Amino acid sequence: MGIHHLTDDELRQVQLIQLEMLEEVDRICRLCGIHYNIIAGTLLGAVRHKGYIPWDDDADVALLRAEYEKFRTACEKELDHSRFYFQDHRNTQGYRWGYGKLRRKGTLFLRANQEHMPYEQGIFIDIFPLDAVSDSRMIRTCQNFHCYCMRKMMWAPVGRIVSKGWLLKGWYRMLECIPADVLYGYYDRYVTRQSRKKTKWVRILMFPTPNKEYGYLREWYENSAGIVFENRTFQGIRDYDAYLTFKFGNYHQLPPKEMRKVHPVTALKCLPW
């Protein structure tokens, strides 16, 4: 399949569908007393653009691990299943990511090189759990390598396709042979161990942490405030300036056009409006 380049109208349709899902997350969290934050590019968009970064095609929500588990359970009963479905490795066979996705029924957002993955791939937002990591930077560095290895094992079904060179492709084919129940059993036990700790630092274990600290301050996610995004109010990190500076540097400055990237997709289906 060839890459489908989203038109401006298609990108805006994707954003509006994701906005529906953000509203659903907010509704469930308010109903069930669950604490969440919009993060990363979504929070940056709220601060800098009062909505989506114009070229952004995803949305990010994060919850500390205990709140993530509450949200996951709440979705079973409270989610509007006529419109949405929630995926993670515990309820979706063949799912290979260490975090959840909320998706819109009746849509398709087929990521390049993931066409063969055996689960529905509707337009989505990422739902990230945040787990404790050590307050020692040296130990966090070791934990980062540990997380990297687990992530690559999960990513193996994609890695064997996108990697360059027969040696690396073969390596991912070997990793893919690890039974999913063994891989995720190990991951779940690791999460359980980390969840017993109350450290100053947390991170999304199964997502790259693009800073040399290999984590983020827990207090950022514990202290939230309402923030306007696309004329709606969601919960975001109260000290957004410290968080965004830590993550992006001078976040007020727009990146050059060549760095304004979107997810490569091979098929897209939005809802009729």
Side-chain angles (χ1 to χ4, degrees), residues 149-209:
C149 292
M150 282 192 288
R151 190 171 75 248
K152 291 302 179 182
M153 292 177 195
M154 293 180 184
W155 192 68
V158 180
R160 66 174 172 82
I161 294 175
V162 302
S163 298
K164 296 180 179 179
W166 64 269
L167 190 61
L168 197 54
K169 288 179 183 291
W171 175 246
Y172 278 117
R173 287 192 185 97
M174 291 177 60
L175 291 179
E176 191 179 7
C177 292
I178 300 173
D181 59 342
V182 173
L183 174 59
Y184 282 106
Y186 179 84
Y187 169 67
D188 288 338
R189 289 191 296 274
Y190 184 68
V191 165
T192 298
R193 290 198 302 272
Q194 294 304 112
S195 67
R196 298 191 186 111
K197 304 171 183 178
K198 186 66 181 290
T199 59
K200 294 180 180 179
W201 290 84
V202 297
R203 64 166 286 179
I204 305 161
L205 296 177
M206 294 297 104
F207 199 79
T209 301

Side-chain angles (χ1 to χ4, degrees), residues 31 54 62 76 80 126 133 142 177 187 191 246:
L31 179 66
E76 296 175 4
D80 181 354
D126 287 318
V133 288
C142 295
C177 292
Y187 169 67
V191 165
F246 180 82

Side-chain angles (χ1 to χ4, degrees), residues 256-267:
K257 288 185 177 180
E258 62 270 18
M259 294 184 65
R260 301 175 188 180
K261 297 179 180 179
V262 297
H263 293 108
V265 299
T266 54

